[in-house]
Amino acid sequence: MKVLIVEDEKTLAYEMEDFLKKAFYICDLAHNIKDGLEKIELNSYDFILLDLGLPDGDGLSLLPKAKKYNPDAAYIILTARGNLEDRIAGLDLGADDYLPKPFSLLELQSRMQAIARRKFNVKEELLSLGDFNVDLQKRLILFEDNQIELSRKEFDLLSYLFLHNNRVLTRMQLSEHIWGTFADDDYDSNYIDAHIKNIRKKLNAWAPTDFLETVRGVGYRIKK
């Protein structure tokens, strides 16, 4: 999943970036409202982590503009300002959560995972996908008691399609959210197709993958 960190404390911003990258998120950074808005206008994000005390204004002023360009993103406010009014204002503007500083990076990850579970209506630890089971937390896909070996990007691609089940995702969307870049040429597009082919080959060795559909000329979807 793709994350934008809007934080002017550069040490904290880089710590969050490093931590989340190790947890398999794709991260962009902005250190002020201007740079944050430019990135939000150009890119689509799954999460936007927004500091309030930015050098060129109040981060809350960015929230309505951000939601205009990224309505499907989840927003977490990060701030040292602990007063109730700021928290209420952020939630009223559409933030999904509020995390006061200082905070644990593990807590941040836990909050993000909780939001993702709510957003995608994930209620169980082990999720059904055709004849397979998927454990998103442990990053495993199983057939009965057998673990299927997928590469990191193959699992990211399959799980992202799984979370957006019944929705057609274009190659551009998949490239941006899994690789952090747009699929704007044949090379990138074929790269995604090759990963889908490898996923099908590995899973078909155990059971049919009729749930993983190619939508010609558009992209892919998992149909449940």
Side-chain angles (χ1 to χ4, degrees):
M1 291 190 178
K2 193 168 183 181
V3 181
L4 174 63
I5 301 168
V6 186
E7 170 61 65
D8 69 319
E9 294 181 39
K10 293 186 179 180
T11 299
L12 175 58
Y14 296 140
E15 286 177 354
M16 287 193 289
E17 178 187 32
D18 183 61
F19 179 84
L20 291 174
K21 281 184 175 180
K22 289 177 180 176
F24 308 108
Y25 292 92
I26 302 294
C27 296
D28 286 343
L29 291 180
H31 301 302
N32 54 54
I33 291 175
K34 179 178 179 293
D35 290 345
L37 185 58
E38 287 178 355
K39 286 183 168 61
I40 288 165
E41 289 176 349
L42 292 172
N43 302 289
S44 177
Y45 295 98
D46 299 291
F47 285 93
I48 295 178
L49 311 181
L50 178 60
D51 182 33
L52 296 189
L54 296 168
D56 53 348
D58 190 328
L60 284 179
S61 67
L62 180 60
L63 195 51
K65 299 172 185 176
K67 290 186 73 67
K68 176 182 177 182
Y69 291 100
N70 271 252
D72 295 328
Y75 293 81
I76 300 179
I77 292 174
L78 312 172
T79 182
R81 286 153 39 182
N83 62 73
L84 182 60
E85 290 77 11
D86 280 333
R87 181 174 182 177
I88 292 173
L91 296 174
D92 285 346
L93 288 171
D96 296 273
D97 206 348
Y98 178 99
L99 194 56
K101 297 178 181 178
F103 55 83
S104 160
L105 294 175
L106 286 172
E107 182 181 5
L108 172 62
Q109 183 184 14
S110 179
R111 298 280 188 103
M112 292 171 69
Q113 290 171 342
I115 289 171
R117 286 195 295 269
R118 293 197 302 268
K119 181 179 178 181
F120 298 112
N121 197 30
V122 175
K123 298 179 180 179
E124 300 177 6
E125 183 176 334
L126 210 57
L127 305 170
S128 175
L129 178 61
D131 293 318
F132 301 90
N133 288 312
V134 180
D135 189 325
L136 296 175
Q137 296 293 105
K138 295 180 180 178
R139 297 177 60 83
L140 298 175
I141 182 163
L142 306 167
F143 178 76
E144 297 178 348
D145 293 327
N146 301 291
Q147 180 178 335
I148 315 300
E149 294 294 335
L150 298 182
S151 72
R152 170 184 164 180
K153 290 302 183 184
E154 288 168 356
F155 185 87
D156 288 344
L157 184 54
L158 183 65
S159 61
Y160 197 75
L161 284 163
F162 177 73
L163 288 173
H164 293 83
N165 66 83
N166 295 320
R167 175 182 171 187
V168 178
L169 296 178
T170 67
R171 291 172 176 83
M172 180 178 291
Q173 288 173 314
L174 293 170
S175 178
E176 184 180 14
H177 287 268
I178 305 302
W179 282 269
T181 58
F182 286 108
D184 55 3
D185 56 39
D186 289 340
Y187 175 81
D188 287 335
S189 178
N190 290 337
Y191 192 62
I192 294 168
D193 294 340
H195 274 73
I196 293 290
K197 181 179 179 180
N198 287 338
I199 291 169
R200 284 189 172 126
K201 181 178 180 181
K202 291 178 180 181
L203 298 187
N204 281 333
W206 299 90
T209 58
D210 298 337
F211 52 82
L212 180 52
E213 295 187 341
T214 301
V215 181
R216 293 192 179 279
V218 183
Y220 297 94
R221 72 174 168 186
I222 282 181
K223 191 173 181 180
K224 294 187 69 181

